[in-house]
Amino acid sequence: MPFSGTSMAAPFVSGVASLARALHPDLSASEIKELLMLTSDSLSSLEGKNYSEGRINVTKFLKKAS
């Protein structure tokens, strides 16, 4: 069975948040969270299954954080 769920999502989100903090140490945790939410890709298959109803998009996130 492939890995899925929050156990697999948490390391990815943490990694992207760490990249943002490394590039922009002035960003607060709430600003990073907002950027994560704004730049995620909405997926109908995730409706009602997670908070953002989307998938993290590191490229969009880093562009927006710049």
Side-chain angles (χ1 to χ4, degrees):
M1 180 170 129
F3 298 108
S4 64
T6 56
S7 295
M8 283 306 300
F12 288 102
V13 174
S14 298
V16 174
S18 295
L19 281 173
R21 184 56 63 91
L23 294 171
H24 305 284
D26 55 314
L27 287 175
S28 68
S30 59
E31 289 171 320
I32 291 172
K33 178 183 174 184
E34 183 178 344
L35 282 169
L36 285 166
M37 299 297 291
L38 289 172
T39 59
S40 66
D41 295 328
S42 295
L43 297 175
S44 60
S45 62
L46 294 176
E47 280 184 32
K49 294 184 180 177
N50 66 18
Y51 184 71
S52 71
E53 297 185 345
R55 174 183 54 207
I56 195 169
N57 184 321
V58 67
T59 303
K60 283 174 31 178
F61 179 85
L62 292 175
K63 284 180 182 179
K64 187 86 168 172
S66 296

